[in-house]
Amino acid sequence: MTVASTVLWGVAHIAAERRKSGVALMAAYVLMLAGVLTMFTAFSVNLLSLAVQPRWMTVLTVALVVIALAWITVIVWSFLLVRPPRSDLVGRALTTTLTIALCALVLAPTAYATRLAYVSRDVVNTLFSPGDSTAPVLAHDPWNGAERVNFLLLGGDSAPGRPGVRTDSMTVASVAVDSGATVLFGLPRNLERVPLPKGPARDRFPWGFAGTGADTPGLLNEIYQYGEDHPEVVPGVPKGRRGAELIKETIGGILGIPVHFHAMVDMKGFAEIVDAMGGVRVSIKEPIVYGKYREGVLPAGTRKLSGQEALWYGRSRTDSDDYVRMGRQKCLLNAVAKQADPITVLNSFERLAAATKRAISTDLPQDLLPAAIDLSQRVKDARIRSLNFVPPLVNTASPDWHFIRRTVREALREQDRPRRALAGPRGPSAGHDAPVSLDATCR
């Protein structure tokens, strides 16, 4: 009877002729199950959005604790109604043990879910600043009318022999709000004479960023650290955010599109994230030598890479160059995005959370997280294309900035063409060059 009451509240009460109590418990149990099933079916799309809102995670934690305590109360109450008589010592011992085990069976998943809720809330509060957006967030349109949202993805690397952080990987992901269709624009680290944003930065380098000496020859990957080290070129921005703000405005100017948010991943931390996922599967076209001293080779073919192998897959320049490496980095980003499914994330949640806190920094505010989660689900189901501004398309020593901006416009127009064709013409396109060709990312 106690086991049956654990599965369906009220069974033991009815057996003990407590009919009113039994029926009331059954009704409460059915209503609770109906509520849970409704949440996981009708509102399943919104569950991930709720998971990144600390307030809702607190509500969920309290609700889980209340349900668990109610369930345990029903189990103990049922046992007390139907337990063996005092004279049956063996029966009492066995059924008491069984009751304790049933209570633990109910409590264990609740404790696990509560732990996940706590970890999730901690990650959100650590990575994302509350109320940090520069424009008001509207409930009906969190992106404030924007057709595309542009995210700057930075891979930061540091070495014992040089000061600061170099952003050796720089990619802007331009995401269509309605469809999730994405274009990745890759910029090489060695672009020279990069025009800086108007204001103090442009005043200091009117002919493009030139560095500060022999150790900083004036490449694009030095601008992040330069902004951190020179607050006067990014006035009014606090320490820790100056470099990101300067590189966002700089790359936005290069591409001719606004960069709304950024996320920077520490290269070593990226390896931890891949390991927490259980590895990432990629297709390797040609063998890749990895390791500082050529310790190994990643053979050609489709295979699952560990975090360290994925790191070298994205970083290795042995027998290749920066531009081949940039192409592999796009493949790696695409593979991680596609393979980070909910089951994988849930199974490794705590390891992923710990690695994420150590490896990632971003300026995406908390109040936009639900919209970002919703957008990410569209990205997973949409085509991701890429365009790298590397030789021979551009001359890194003397880039044609007008050409780059024009090419970006064409790339976005080509990505949007099927969608716009369905919506009907929006006006003449005279004066534009022929559409650029976008590379499909790796599978």
Side-chain angles (χ1 to χ4, degrees), residues 110-277:
T110 304
Y112 178 69
T114 302
R115 172 66 181 171
L116 290 185
Y118 169 80
V119 172
S120 177
R121 188 171 62 247
D122 181 52
V123 170
V124 170
N125 286 329
T126 300
L127 290 183
F128 305 96
S129 301
D132 196 33
S133 56
T134 56
V137 177
L138 306 179
H140 64 282
D141 183 10
W143 305 115
N144 295 305
E147 291 187 1
R148 283 187 167 272
V149 184
N150 303 315
F151 301 89
L152 173 59
L153 311 175
L154 300 171
D157 203 2
S158 58
R162 68 183 187 198
V165 174
R166 299 291 187 269
T167 53
D168 285 342
S169 175
M170 289 163 284
T171 301
V172 172
S174 183
V175 185
V177 170
D178 60 349
S179 67
T182 300
V183 183
L184 301 176
F185 296 110
L187 292 170
R189 68 188 184 97
N190 59 337
L191 281 181
E192 298 181 33
R193 292 290 176 179
V194 176
L196 296 180
K198 291 182 179 179
R202 179 78 61 85
D203 294 342
R204 178 166 295 185
F205 296 102
W207 309 111
F209 181 65
T212 57
D215 293 334
T216 54
L219 305 181
L220 178 61
N221 70 338
E222 301 164 14
I223 291 177
Y224 178 93
Q225 191 61 43
Y226 186 86
E228 283 297 324
D229 294 340
H230 298 82
E232 66 277 7
V233 301
V234 198
V237 180
K239 184 179 180 180
R241 296 180 55 183
R242 293 192 287 257
E245 195 62 31
L246 184 59
I247 194 71
K248 277 171 57 180
E249 292 187 26
T250 299
I251 289 180
I254 293 172
L255 299 178
I257 56 177
V259 175
H260 302 101
F261 307 102
H262 90 283
M264 185 160 78
V265 182
D266 173 76
M267 290 295 193
K268 293 180 181 177
F270 177 77
E272 294 183 40
I273 292 174
V274 171
D275 281 332
M277 286 177 55

Side-chain angles (χ1 to χ4, degrees), residues 57-70:
M57 294 308 294
T58 301
V59 171
L60 175 62
T61 300
V62 172
L64 288 173
V65 171
V66 169
I67 291 173
L69 292 176

Side-chain angles (χ1 to χ4, degrees), residues 207-374:
W207 309 111
F209 181 65
T212 57
D215 293 334
T216 54
L219 305 181
L220 178 61
N221 70 338
E222 301 164 14
I223 291 177
Y224 178 93
Q225 191 61 43
Y226 186 86
E228 283 297 324
D229 294 340
H230 298 82
E232 66 277 7
V233 301
V234 198
V237 180
K239 184 179 180 180
R241 296 180 55 183
R242 293 192 287 257
E245 195 62 31
L246 184 59
I247 194 71
K248 277 171 57 180
E249 292 187 26
T250 299
I251 289 180
I254 293 172
L255 299 178
I257 56 177
V259 175
H260 302 101
F261 307 102
H262 90 283
M264 185 160 78
V265 182
D266 173 76
M267 290 295 193
K268 293 180 181 177
F270 177 77
E272 294 183 40
I273 292 174
V274 171
D275 281 332
M277 286 177 55
V280 60
R281 185 172 295 277
V282 298
S283 294
I284 302 175
K285 295 180 180 179
E286 297 178 358
I288 298 171
V289 178
Y290 71 90
K292 189 174 181 179
Y293 302 104
R294 305 176 72 98
E295 289 97 326
V297 174
L298 299 176
T302 300
R303 62 190 69 257
K304 180 171 282 192
L305 304 181
S306 67
Q308 192 64 21
E309 290 172 336
L311 185 61
W312 280 110
Y313 172 84
R315 293 178 71 182
S316 177
R317 285 180 292 168
T318 305
D319 301 330
S320 62
D321 54 31
D322 272 339
Y323 315 124
V324 173
R325 177 174 71 169
M326 285 176 63
R328 292 200 303 267
Q329 288 171 355
K330 304 301 177 296
C331 294
L332 196 56
L333 282 173
N334 188 43
V336 171
K338 296 294 185 184
Q339 295 171 39
D341 58 88
I343 300 300
T344 298
V345 171
L346 187 61
N347 288 339
S348 309
F349 190 77
E350 292 210 37
R351 288 184 64 198
L352 273 171
T356 298
K357 286 167 60 177
R358 288 193 295 269
I360 295 179
S361 60
T362 181
D363 61 355
L364 186 70
Q366 282 188 22
D367 50 12
L368 279 179
L369 279 178
I373 289 290
D374 181 57

